[in-house]
Amino acid sequence: MNKSVTKILTVFLLFLFIQNEAAAQNGVVRGIVSDRQTGDALVMATVSIQPLPDGDIKGTATDNNGHFQISRIEQGRYEFLVRYIGYTTFRDTIEVTQEDQILLRNVQLRPSSEELGEVNVYDRAKANNAGQIRIQPETIGRAPTPGGSADFVSYIQNQPGVLATGDRGGQLFVRGGTPAGNLVLMDGSLIYQPFHIVGFFSVFPEEVVSSADFYAGGFGAEYSGRSSAVMDIRLKNGNLYETGWAASVSPFISDLFFETPIKEGKSSVLVSMRGSVIEATSGQYLQEQQPLRFNSQLVKYNSVSKEGLGCSALMMRTYDRGKLDFESDQYFKWSNFVTGGRCSVASEESSLSFMEMNFGLSHFNNEAGGQEADTRKSSIFKSNLDIQFAHYLGLIRLDYGLFTNFRTVNYDLVNRFISLDENETSFLTTGAFLEFEIPVGQYVSFKPGVVGTSYLNRLNPKLEPRMRVSLDFSEEFGTSLHGAAGIYYQHLIGLSDFRDAGTAFTAWMLSPDEDRILKTTHYLLGIRQSITRHLEVSVEGFHKKIENTPISIWNPVAEFTTDLAYADGNVNGVDARIDFTTPNFYTAIGYGYSITEYETSQDHFLEWYGEPVQRYHPSHDRRHQLNAQLGFDVEAFSFNLNWIYGSGMPYTRPMGFDSFFNLEEGIPQVKDDYGNPRILLDKPFQGRLPDFHRLDVSVERLFQLQKADMKLQLGAINSYDQQNLFYYDVFYQRGINQLPIVPYFALKFSSK
């Protein structure tokens, strides 16, 4: 670690532990707000105090851990209120009797349909940061999914700025970034590939999701190691008092969910298992068999205490295998194994307001092969230990933490990339982050932060400064403004061959060139406007500057073997969304516009094209994307509709054909032999594939039986049978289509 980084971290650590007299507080009340039945943290719950018999109200909202703190409370008696939509309001009286007194109030709220009233779920899902979407379980079911349970990935694909390459492959691109630039966390543990090979499903069915934060860019200092987007999923805890279960089946997938208390009110366990059946059923009712298979298993243990200490442990395994091109013998296969644990506590005795510790192990393995091609393999193992703290200096909140990661990467690319054949590397990283939340007056909040990472002499250490700002006038005018800027380095790259779009193989490796580390700089500016209680409009513009992103060297002759090159680029765009929500009806329209452009210099460009530098739009540059959702409930029926449109993505056009002779095989007989045919390619990605659009619909009927509930779902994927291209094969010059119209039914039984 160089001297400048050492000095900065030293000053940072000294600053944390030196008490500043100017920041001395009066009384403080802090704690954690959670669901009484499960112990799940309740995010954005409203906590307030009011002097008795009357006086001005002071309040705050809980963070992602359900934690809150109200500072500078003068001596006296106060009414203490905690509110959360869908839960019974908690009321109590607290008394501050001396200066610097710390009161700990951990609150468990009881669910109550009577408190729901005229609920707009966006009251629970409002996010106050640039680039952020907060996702609640209620909203996941708005995207029709051909299974008994709604799925996180089906919902997230319908957000502006999120691009899925098709209905198979499990790849998501966010605002011009690649799938390898996405950080996916579940209860703080990293999972490398949570999306199944059938694009409607992931390891996150609605039963296991408590809440999630999706950052399309501009994420804060607590997240590091990725350059594009963050999906931070908090898993549900098992019920602490009652046993529950659910089982479902459809032509695509079967699901089983089970939860039960271990020690009533104190600990519980949750189990979720999923397995595909489409490979077996597709031959019976579709035009062709779908050679796609996947399964996943999740177990989570949870314990809580009245003192505010909560601990959990999880274990997950996934497996995916299939062909993206059904006519080819090439297959893709991957698996995940994740285990980890976390503990968090709000303390009455400590000067620290909140502390969390997280430990995890994650292993990912993937391969691609076939009868006519050697098998490419890649695997990565990661162990991590993270400690995070929340500390208050007066009204200023300080979040900081330390992290240590050990990784082993292994890959064998069988000459796909000439300079990257086979390798195994182990390395250790350490670092720290720091972020302030500084309120300025009643409406403005600044969140400056920084991340420092050291690769212990393998690569140069990096500092990543970041800034987020928000102006909240929602109480007066229903308006909130937000912005963000920051630098994001990614030392660990996921290399894919995107010369054609039909790939699901990623080789993880430490950046081969320490002087060319992938770097993106994010700039975001947006506005949210509540027109009425039920109608909200949001618009956000963004710019990303990309440096040193790894790409394939482009050869004007179609060849399977290539080498590694680097490109710089820019992404510019705007995402807009209109939401109208009532208890029994919702509709949403989202539009995303973006331009992704790369610039690269390669030796042969001058020879072939007369220019040493080429600018092009990569294969994931979708210029326009439009999403429309509609849903309503009528008695026991629920109807959901989702329509998505995307403009055509780039591909490389053939420029012509010729033939060649391999002189190593001997002198050719040119009169009788025409040689080996080959394709000559135009400049990279100059063509555009046809536009994509699809309509998915579903109708559900709930039957309340004597001992269980039964839900029957009827629906159709691609209901007007649009022929959508999945990808265009560069080497064989043929297109592979996505699914045709697929009617389906799903049957789900669940405990009352």
Side-chain angles (χ1 to χ4, degrees):
M1 184 179 294
N2 61 32
K3 293 182 179 180
S4 61
V5 176
T6 303
K7 290 180 180 178
I8 291 174
L9 292 179
T10 301
V11 173
F12 157 55
L13 292 173
L14 288 174
F15 173 78
L16 295 179
F17 297 104
I18 296 177
Q19 290 291 334
N20 190 333
E21 292 296 330
Q25 305 171 347
N26 292 325
V28 169
V29 59
R30 65 170 65 138
I32 295 175
V33 180
S34 60
D35 183 308
R36 180 181 180 275
Q37 290 185 336
T38 64
D40 289 329
L42 297 182
V43 182
M44 296 297 292
T46 301
V47 183
S48 64
I49 61 171
Q50 183 176 17
L52 294 174
D54 56 50
D56 294 334
I57 297 175
K58 297 182 68 173
T60 187
T62 57
D63 63 13
N64 289 343
N65 298 297
H67 170 255
F68 70 91
Q69 176 164 316
I70 301 176
S71 306
R72 294 185 175 178
I73 306 174
E74 297 180 355
Q75 296 182 32
R77 296 177 68 248
Y78 296 84
E79 183 182 31
F80 176 64
L81 296 179
V82 181
R83 298 184 180 92
Y84 195 67
I85 295 174
Y87 288 77
T88 301
T89 298
F90 177 85
R91 290 179 171 85
D92 195 8
T93 300
I94 62 173
E95 185 172 4
V96 177
T97 59
Q98 59 187 18
E99 290 187 358
D100 300 329
Q101 182 179 358
I102 298 175
L103 301 177
L104 183 65
R105 292 294 183 269
N106 295 312
V107 178
Q108 295 181 327
L109 297 183
R110 298 174 181 267
S112 172
S113 58
E114 295 179 0
E115 292 283 331
L116 207 57
E118 289 289 318
V119 172
N120 179 349
V121 296
Y122 282 89
D123 292 340
R124 291 173 53 167
K126 286 185 182 295
N128 56 0
N129 292 307
Q132 181 186 10
I133 298 174
R134 178 159 287 137
I135 301 168
Q136 298 291 341
E138 302 96 321
T139 60
I140 293 177
R142 293 179 174 179
T145 304
S149 298
D151 198 287
F152 172 82
V153 72
S154 290
Y155 178 80
I156 205 69
Q157 290 179 40
N158 290 286
Q159 301 306 308
V162 180
L163 166 65
T165 54
D167 52 23
R168 70 199 77 153
Q171 304 287 308
L172 291 183
F173 301 80
V174 180
R175 289 185 176 177
T178 63
N182 300 331
L183 177 66
V184 184
L185 302 172
M186 54 178 189
D187 279 1
S189 293
L190 173 68
I191 180 168
Y192 285 93
Q193 177 51 297
F195 310 121
H196 286 306
I197 196 167
V198 179
F200 308 110
F201 304 104
S202 72
V203 300
F204 304 120
E206 60 181 331
E207 289 91 352
V208 306
V209 177
S210 175
S211 63
D213 283 320
F214 170 61
Y215 293 90
F219 41 93
E222 65 180 298
Y223 302 110
S224 60
R226 293 293 187 273
S227 58
S228 181
V230 171
M231 302 173 207
D232 190 353
I233 293 98
R234 289 170 288 279
L235 300 178
K236 177 185 174 184
N237 296 324
N239 198 302
L240 295 167
Y241 295 93
E242 298 177 355
T243 297
W245 58 270
S248 65
V249 65
S250 80
F252 282 77
I253 189 173
S254 61
D255 286 85
L256 178 64
F257 171 81
F258 178 77
E259 59 180 341
T260 188
I262 296 177
K263 191 171 184 179
E264 186 173 303
K266 295 184 177 181
S267 60
S268 65
V269 66
L270 173 152
V271 179
S272 174
M273 294 187 289
R274 319 192 82 188
S276 64
V277 296
I278 186 173
E279 189 172 37
T281 62
S282 57
Q284 304 297 320
Y285 81 108
L286 294 180
Q287 297 176 3
E288 59 181 339
Q289 186 181 27
Q290 308 287 310
L292 304 168
R293 182 186 307 171
F294 65 86
N295 61 71
S296 60
Q297 302 84 37
L298 166 68
V299 179
K300 180 180 178 181
Y301 168 83
N302 173 64
S303 68
V304 297
S305 71
K306 294 182 179 179
E307 291 74 26
L309 176 64
C311 292
S312 64
L314 65 86
M315 182 179 296
M316 173 174 281
R317 173 196 169 275
T318 78
Y319 174 82
D320 288 76
R321 189 185 193 282
K323 298 179 181 179
L324 304 186
D325 178 0
F326 299 163
E327 299 179 11
S328 169
D329 70 334
Q330 187 179 38
Y331 70 89
F332 295 93
K333 180 170 68 174
W334 66 82
S335 62
N336 293 277
F337 177 79
V338 182
T339 186
R342 71 192 306 184
C343 288
S344 61
V345 64
S347 174
E348 186 174 17
E349 303 298 331
S350 172
S351 61
L352 294 174
S353 183
F354 179 82
M355 182 180 73
E356 179 181 83
M357 179 179 294
N358 179 65
F359 170 77
L361 302 174
S362 181
H363 180 265
F364 174 68
N365 179 76
N366 73 145
E367 66 179 60
Q371 295 179 359
E372 299 179 0
D374 294 327
T375 301
R376 289 171 285 155
K377 298 180 179 180
S378 173
S379 65
I380 181 169
F381 168 81
K382 176 190 176 183
S383 63
N384 68 279
L385 177 63
D386 309 327
I387 304 176
Q388 299 185 18
F389 306 92
H391 191 97
Y392 282 81
L393 303 173
L395 297 178
I396 298 174
R397 172 168 170 150
L398 174 61
D399 290 281
Y400 58 97
L402 306 171
F403 56 86
T404 300
N405 304 316
F406 175 79
R407 295 182 180 90
T408 297
V409 295
N410 183 297
Y411 59 86
D412 183 359
L413 303 183
V414 291
N415 297 319
R416 173 59 68 97
F417 291 85
I418 296 173
S419 61
L420 302 170
D421 189 10
E422 184 176 0
N423 191 21
E424 180 173 337
T425 306
S426 297
F427 53 96
L428 183 69
T429 63
T430 62
F433 80 89
L434 167 69
E435 184 173 76
F436 291 91
E437 183 175 355
I438 306 172
V440 179
Q442 184 178 353
Y443 304 108
V444 182
S445 175
F446 289 96
K447 294 182 179 179
V450 65
V451 184
T453 306
S454 169
Y455 278 71
L456 301 182
N457 297 322
R458 273 195 169 271
L459 298 172
N460 294 326
K462 298 292 184 181
L463 284 178
E464 304 170 47
R466 301 172 189 178
M467 169 65 79
R468 296 184 288 173
V469 61
S470 62
L471 290 81
D472 189 357
F473 304 104
S474 56
E475 293 293 332
E476 290 79 5
F477 310 108
T479 305
S480 61
L481 304 171
H482 48 264
I487 294 175
Y488 303 84
Y489 285 100
Q490 186 168 335
H491 296 74
L492 188 70
I493 62 173
L495 184 62
S496 296
D497 189 357
F498 287 117
R499 288 178 294 173
D500 57 50
T503 182
F505 176 79
T506 301
W508 289 95
M509 64 186 68
L510 199 61
S511 182
D513 187 344
E514 67 176 39
D515 295 323
R516 308 198 72 168
I517 304 300
L518 174 59
K519 174 186 176 183
T520 64
T521 306
H522 296 194
Y523 302 94
L524 295 83
L525 184 63
I527 181 173
R528 294 188 183 94
Q529 179 66 55
S530 295
I531 309 299
T532 68
R533 182 179 180 183
H534 303 290
L535 179 63
E536 181 178 89
V537 179
S538 61
V539 180
E540 184 169 88
F542 57 90
H543 168 73
K544 286 184 181 180
K545 181 181 179 182
I546 303 172
E547 301 175 58
N548 301 319
T549 186
I551 61 170
S552 306
I553 282 184
W554 198 261
N555 195 323
V557 177
E559 295 180 345
F560 284 97
T561 300
T562 184
D563 206 350
L564 187 66
Y566 295 90
D568 297 332
N570 289 284
V571 184
N572 297 290
V574 60
D575 290 338
R577 187 175 175 92
I578 301 174
D579 293 282
F580 181 81
T581 306
T582 68
N584 297 312
F585 176 86
Y586 73 87
T587 185
I589 298 176
Y591 172 72
Y593 173 82
S594 69
I595 301 177
T596 303
E597 185 178 55
Y598 284 179
E599 178 180 290
T600 183
S601 175
Q602 299 178 15
D603 294 338
H604 57 275
F605 281 168
L606 183 62
E607 177 183 351
W608 279 86
Y609 305 126
E611 299 174 348
V613 176
Q614 291 294 312
R615 294 179 178 86
Y616 67 94
H617 303 288
S619 61
H620 56 279
D621 175 47
R622 172 163 283 169
R623 197 60 50 84
H624 304 276
Q625 182 160 315
L626 182 64
N627 306 83
Q629 293 178 306
L630 174 69
F632 56 87
D633 299 329
V634 179
E635 295 181 348
F637 288 90
S638 295
F639 175 82
N640 290 286
L641 177 150
N642 184 78
W643 183 76
I644 182 171
Y645 163 84
S647 58
M649 294 187 293
Y651 80 105
T652 300
R653 298 174 297 198
M655 188 170 59
F657 303 86
D658 71 355
S659 60
F660 71 98
F661 294 96
N662 187 351
L663 299 181
E664 294 180 355
E665 298 177 355
I667 299 175
Q669 300 295 322
V670 295
K671 292 184 178 181
D672 302 320
D673 190 355
Y674 292 99
N676 299 311
R678 64 181 179 181
I679 301 171
L680 301 180
L681 301 176
D682 197 357
K683 293 182 180 181
F685 299 111
Q686 296 297 304
R688 287 275 173 178
L689 297 174
D691 292 352
F692 159 86
H693 51 95
R694 190 184 77 207
L695 176 67
D696 302 333
V697 297
S698 70
V699 179
E700 299 176 0
R701 171 67 159 91
L702 179 65
F703 298 89
Q704 294 184 333
L705 307 180
Q706 184 175 0
K707 295 184 178 181
D709 290 335
M710 183 182 76
K711 183 176 72 173
L712 176 64
Q713 178 183 358
L714 302 176
I717 300 297
N718 192 12
S719 59
Y720 52 76
D721 201 20
Q722 171 67 20
Q723 289 191 355
N724 291 309
L725 198 63
F726 173 54
Y727 82 95
Y728 188 77
D729 192 307
V730 172
F731 300 102
Y732 295 102
Q733 297 295 307
R734 63 188 179 90
I736 290 87
N737 286 331
Q738 300 185 38
L739 287 173
I741 181 173
V742 181
Y744 67 88
F745 73 92
L747 189 63
K748 181 177 182 178
F749 291 91
S750 59
S751 58
K752 286 185 171 293

